[in-house]
């Protein structure tokens, strides 16, 4: 059922951190409902800015390096362009939520308070919340100093995962397959990231499939929901999803809903779980209290989180789709190409890899849209140039891992 947008409602929406495919999907979804979507990022030209769906774009200082400059520029743009609703789409949500009282009172920003967002964002705090609610979590150890880590080295599980508490997109995640390797890598991680507090977690490694639950909630009441299963990830060990399919999985859905209800959370969030499909066991892995990379997959399956969030912010009645079909597949083309390169380095059979990646059984592409192709080519160009400059297939900024 399509809601009627009232004339009195301001239809101008701002989306920030718009260089990525998730923000592009948000913009496209909103614009296809007749809304005027404005986009911003640290660069002057970026994926969403070259889209036919962008009303106007602008640049701002890095929210990591210059949070004060970022807030000042965004508020200035909101006032100058009479923006009615602001949807921070990535980690800038932490800075926005901290400074929410500084924004014009007439601008709708449908997100939670900083403390609630940070509880989900921080891997230690979100894991503790899950355990408190009786949700299984891989065995996890936290320390407050290098000395404490060394003194308890023999107690840690092997193989182990080293996780920075505040990070995203597989940044700050490392694996160790012996006690000696764990010791060397942990010390190196602490030194590399200049850790003084929030020391990295040591966690039991569990081999399982990654399932993700996407939710939109209003003060803990879940309004829209979606579950996906990862088919492939960008890194050899996991990380960002490059191909996925829609599924229904009651256990992980209930777990995620319990966490949002406990926090009385408002806004969108995505929860990742490690699922042993043979044993039907599930472990909470981490949460993202903001939009996720595969949101275009959810939208293509009929669950339109960005438009629902706009309706929630503006008091518009709508009926979310919760009877989506299982087995629908989506691919992030650029990310999947990077995944192929990463896995080919370690694979003994390039032919098998090619056969797997060249099987196009997808119902949807998350970054290429036939009616709006330019953003895809700009995205591919950006990743290529960034790799030539940095040797990494990720946009790396100061403060991404802390």
């Amino acid at each position: 059922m399509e809601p009627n947008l009232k004339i009195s409602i301001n239809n101008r929406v701002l989306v920030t951190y718009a260089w990525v495919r998730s923000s592009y999907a948000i913009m496209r979804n909103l614009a296809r409902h007749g809304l005027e979507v404005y986009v911003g990022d640290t660069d002057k030209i970026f994926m969403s800015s070259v889209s036919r769906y962008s009303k106007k774009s602008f640049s701002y200082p890095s929210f990591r390096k210059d949070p004060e400059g970022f807030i000042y520029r965004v508020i200035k743009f909101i006032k100058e362009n009479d923006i009615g609703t602001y949807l921070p789409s990535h980690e800038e949500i932490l800075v926005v939520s901290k400074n929410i009282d500084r924004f014009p009172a007439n601008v709708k920003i449908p997100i939670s308070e900083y403390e609630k967002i940070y509880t989900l964002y921080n891997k230690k705090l979100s894991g503790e919340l899950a355990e408190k609610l009786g949700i299984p979590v891989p065995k996890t150890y936290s320390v407050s100093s290098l000395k404490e880590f060394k003194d308890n080295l023999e107690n840690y599980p092997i193989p182990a995962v080293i996780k920075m508490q505040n990070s995203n997109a597989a940044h700050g995640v490392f694996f160790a397959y012996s006690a000696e390797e764990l010791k060397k890598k942990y010390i190196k991680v602490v030194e590399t990231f200049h850790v003084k507090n929030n020391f990295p977690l040591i966690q039991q490694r569990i081999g399982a499939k990654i399932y993700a639950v996407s939710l939109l909630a209003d003060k803990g009441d879940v309004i829209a929901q979606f579950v996906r299963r990862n088919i492939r990830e960008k890194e050899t060990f996991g990380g960002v999803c490059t191909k996925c399919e829609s599924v229904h999985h009651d256990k992980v859905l209930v777990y995620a809903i319990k966490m949002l209800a406990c926090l009385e959370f408002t806004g969108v969030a995505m929860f990742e779980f490690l699922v042993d499909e043979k044993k039907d066991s599930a472990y909470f892995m981490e949460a993202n209290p903001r939009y996720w990379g595969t949101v275009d997959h959810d939208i293509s399956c009929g669950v339109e989180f960005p438009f629902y969030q706009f309706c929630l912010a503006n008091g518009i009645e709508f009926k979310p789709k919760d009877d989506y079909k299982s087995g629908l597949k989506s691919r992030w083309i650029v990310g999947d190409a990077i995944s192929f390169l990463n896995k080919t380095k370690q694979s003994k059979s390039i032919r098998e890899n090619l056969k797997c990646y060249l099987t196009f059984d997808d119902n949807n592409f998350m970054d290429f849209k036939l009616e709006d192709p330019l953003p895809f080519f700009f995205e591919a160009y950006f990743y290529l140039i960034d790799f030539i400059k940095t040797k990494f297939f990720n946009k790396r900024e100061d403060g991404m891992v802390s």
Side-chain angles (χ1 to χ4, degrees):
M1 182 176 68
E2 187 77 11
N4 292 317
L5 297 181
K6 299 176 183 179
I7 297 175
S8 61
I9 292 174
N10 186 328
N11 70 342
R12 296 185 174 190
V13 187
L14 172 63
V15 178
T16 46
Y17 203 82
W19 76 276
V20 290
R21 70 193 186 284
S22 54
S23 298
Y24 172 66
I26 296 167
M27 174 188 66
R28 182 171 177 267
N29 177 239
L30 295 172
R32 285 162 71 91
H33 280 282
L35 302 173
E36 293 183 4
V37 189
Y38 298 70
V39 291
D41 198 78
T42 52
D43 298 315
K44 291 183 178 180
I45 303 176
F46 43 92
M47 184 179 184
S48 296
S49 71
V50 298
S51 168
R52 60 179 287 194
Y53 294 109
S54 168
K55 180 70 176 179
K56 184 179 180 181
S57 65
F58 76 110
S59 61
Y60 49 67
S62 168
F63 63 86
R64 295 187 175 98
K65 298 177 183 178
D66 183 10
E68 182 61 31
F70 164 77
I71 289 294
Y72 173 81
R73 182 71 181 96
V74 170
I75 291 176
K76 185 172 184 286
F77 184 86
I78 286 174
K79 291 178 177 178
E80 290 174 346
N81 293 275
D82 188 29
I83 300 296
T85 306
Y86 172 30
L87 302 182
S89 72
H90 208 263
E91 291 186 350
E92 81 276 21
I93 196 171
L94 292 161
V95 179
V96 172
S97 60
K98 258 187 176 181
N99 294 273
I100 199 78
D101 293 338
R102 296 172 59 182
F103 284 81
N106 61 320
V107 178
K108 311 293 194 307
I109 310 177
I111 63 175
S112 278
E113 299 86 348
Y114 171 79
E115 290 75 15
K116 295 178 181 180
I117 293 173
Y118 186 73
T119 296
L120 291 182
Y121 175 69
N122 180 274
K123 293 177 174 60
K124 179 182 177 182
L125 295 178
S126 61
E128 290 174 347
L129 174 63
E131 287 188 304
K132 173 186 171 184
L133 296 173
I135 299 169
V137 177
K139 199 164 187 179
T140 305
Y141 298 82
S142 61
V143 299
S144 57
S145 67
L146 270 180
K147 182 180 183 305
E148 184 181 347
F149 164 74
K150 293 175 183 177
D151 289 345
N152 292 280
L153 187 60
E154 61 184 24
N155 297 325
Y156 304 133
I158 298 295
V161 185
I162 302 168
K163 286 185 176 182
M164 292 293 290
Q165 292 189 36
N166 299 322
S167 63
N168 76 78
H171 297 293
V173 178
F174 308 90
F175 297 87
Y177 298 92
S178 69
E180 185 61 27
E181 184 181 18
L182 175 60
K183 180 180 179 181
K184 289 180 180 178
K185 283 192 173 180
Y186 193 92
I187 293 172
K188 184 178 180 180
V189 169
V190 169
E191 292 174 347
T192 299
F193 296 111
H194 309 290
V195 177
K196 303 298 181 184
N197 48 44
N198 288 339
F199 274 77
L201 305 174
I202 304 104
Q203 195 171 73
Q204 171 192 9
R205 183 174 189 185
I206 295 176
K209 285 288 184 181
I210 297 176
Y211 281 59
V213 180
S214 308
L215 300 170
L216 170 65
D218 181 21
K219 298 178 181 176
D221 293 328
V222 171
I223 299 169
Q225 59 195 44
F226 185 83
V227 185
R228 77 162 196 263
R229 172 184 175 270
N230 285 12
I231 296 174
R232 283 197 291 269
E233 292 90 20
K234 186 148 66 78
E235 310 298 337
T236 55
F237 56 81
V240 180
C241 177
T242 64
K243 184 170 181 173
C244 59
E245 65 178 332
S246 57
V247 296
H248 289 83
H249 195 289
D250 291 341
K251 183 175 288 186
V252 294
L253 179 62
V254 169
Y255 287 163
I257 290 174
K258 282 178 72 173
M259 293 181 73
L260 285 195
C262 180
L263 292 174
E264 296 184 348
F265 190 88
T266 293
V268 294
M270 185 271 284
F271 298 79
E272 289 189 326
F273 295 88
L274 294 165
V275 175
D276 186 322
E277 295 174 329
K278 291 182 179 179
K279 298 179 180 178
D280 193 33
S281 59
Y283 296 84
F284 169 72
M285 187 166 71
E286 63 179 51
N288 289 320
R290 39 86 174 172
Y291 277 99
W292 46 97
T294 60
V295 63
D296 184 75
H297 174 59
D298 308 17
I299 295 168
S300 73
C301 292
V303 186
E304 302 181 82
F305 284 103
F307 186 59
Y308 298 161
Q309 190 177 17
F310 172 83
C311 290
L312 172 65
N314 290 279
I316 302 169
E317 290 186 8
F318 66 98
K319 185 178 181 181
K321 182 181 178 68
D322 57 8
D323 59 345
Y324 61 87
K325 184 179 178 181
S326 291
L328 298 176
K329 297 178 182 178
S330 290
R331 182 191 300 232
W332 172 29
I333 299 176
V334 170
D336 216 36
I338 297 170
S339 173
F340 170 75
L341 294 174
N342 286 334
K343 290 179 182 174
T344 298
K345 292 176 186 176
Q346 296 187 354
S347 175
K348 295 180 180 178
S349 176
I350 296 177
R351 182 178 295 179
E352 283 299 311
N353 250 6
L354 276 172
K355 182 180 178 182
C356 178
Y357 281 83
L358 292 180
T359 301
F360 286 92
D361 55 351
D362 314 281
N363 303 96
N364 173 61
F365 295 124
M366 290 183 261
D367 49 351
F368 178 73
K369 304 299 176 184
L370 193 59
E371 88 285 358
D372 190 32
L374 190 56
F376 167 77
F377 292 106
F378 191 86
E379 176 197 34
Y381 172 78
F382 172 84
Y383 272 94
L384 177 61
I385 294 301
D386 207 48
F387 176 75
I388 292 172
K389 290 179 179 179
T390 67
K391 305 304 179 187
F392 290 106
F393 280 119
N394 281 311
K395 186 174 183 178
R396 303 204 167 206
E397 299 180 26
D398 291 345
M400 285 192 79
V401 180
S402 61

